[in-house]
């Protein structure tokens, strides 16, 4: 089931909004390619973190 800005895996909760949105986008693309949810989530978070670091963005909220 595709995720969106209001419905996403709890493991993405502590990511800052732009990184979370990127992770959601990546995860949805991986799901569309037939990957299982657990793998899609794990890969999407890792790739979104790489994306953020290349842009000098923090990855997580300070409170998390």
């Amino acid at each position: 089931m595709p995720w969106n800005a209001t419905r996403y895996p709890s493991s993405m909760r502590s990511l800052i909004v732009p990184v979370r949105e990127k992770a959601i986008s990546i995860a949805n693309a991986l799901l569309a390619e037939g990957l299982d949810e657990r793998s899609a989530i794990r890969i999407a978070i890792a790739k979104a973190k790489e994306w953020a670091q290349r842009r000098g963005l923090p990855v997580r909220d300070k409170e998390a």
Side-chain angles (χ1 to χ4, degrees):
M1 180 180 302
W3 294 292
N4 60 46
T6 59
R7 191 188 149 307
Y8 50 85
S10 61
S11 56
M12 295 181 185
R13 187 176 336 151
S14 65
L15 300 173
I16 65 168
V17 174
V19 179
R20 183 185 313 131
E21 289 173 348
K22 188 67 169 178
I24 290 168
S25 175
I26 293 167
N28 285 334
L30 292 170
L31 287 176
E33 291 178 4
L35 211 60
D36 64 278
E37 282 190 8
R38 182 175 287 166
S39 296
I41 293 167
R42 189 173 53 248
I43 293 167
I45 290 172
K47 293 296 183 184
K49 286 179 179 180
E50 290 174 10
W51 174 86
Q53 290 170 344
R54 284 193 307 267
R55 286 158 179 76
L57 295 173
V59 173
R60 299 190 181 277
D61 286 331
K62 291 178 183 173
E63 300 86 40

